Amino acid sequence: TMSWPTEAWLATINQEAVGFIILQPDLSARIRRANGGRNPLWREWLHWRRRAPVRAGRIAYLGVVDHWRGKGIGRQLWQHSLIVSREKGWQELAIGPVADENDAAAFLTHMDATRRQHYTTYYLDI
């Protein structure tokens, strides 16, 4: 079960789903501090701390159907998430991880998003 509120919006055109976004509070600092909640006392602290206001949000996923890209759908979803973030009192909005060379990275650069972390993903090619 999810213990943190998550919001999602679906963009539609003529009743066709063309994109969506999932937004949630960014709990990474708390989870890092609690070492992932591995210790039962830290797990209890995380449970207690979940009621406190959060200063940042996280876009868990933002996607636009391929043939609808470049038509402003992603920009509208992005702008909506910024409005909701301000309403919630969040001072930051994070997204990621995002690979360096893909459409998402190009979109975020175009939106003047600032990269503060770099992720390397590994995979096994069998």
Side-chain angles (χ1 to χ4, degrees):
T1 64
M2 184 170 295
S3 58
W4 299 94
T6 299
E7 298 184 38
W9 301 282
L10 179 66
T12 61
I13 296 178
N14 297 328
Q15 299 180 344
E16 175 188 355
V18 296
F20 72 98
I21 190 166
I22 300 173
L23 186 67
Q24 64 189 34
D26 187 0
L27 308 174
S28 59
R30 294 176 186 178
I31 293 170
R32 225 178 358 264
R33 181 174 180 192
N35 197 21
R38 292 184 196 125
N39 179 301
L41 294 175
W42 277 115
R43 201 168 23 254
E44 281 298 315
W45 179 83
L46 277 172
H47 181 73
W48 168 78
R49 190 72 176 126
R50 75 177 180 192
R51 292 174 186 85
V54 177
R55 297 183 42 178
R58 175 168 291 276
I59 295 175
Y61 198 89
L62 168 63
V64 176
V65 175
D66 286 344
H67 65 274
W68 283 100
R69 290 186 181 165
K71 295 179 174 45
I73 308 297
R75 178 186 301 270
Q76 289 180 15
L77 289 167
W78 175 266
Q79 289 173 341
H80 184 69
S81 69
L82 294 176
I83 292 167
V84 169
S85 296
R86 279 188 219 108
E87 290 172 355
K88 292 181 174 295
W90 294 344
Q91 298 170 0
E92 295 181 0
L93 185 61
I95 187 170
V98 177
D100 290 334
E101 303 288 327
N102 68 12
D103 292 340
F107 172 78
L108 293 171
T109 299
H110 186 71
M111 294 291 105
D112 292 326
T114 304
R115 182 183 298 245
R116 288 194 264 163
Q117 292 177 311
H118 179 78
Y119 297 92
T120 302
T121 54
Y122 299 93
Y123 65 94
L124 180 61
D125 188 15
I126 299 177

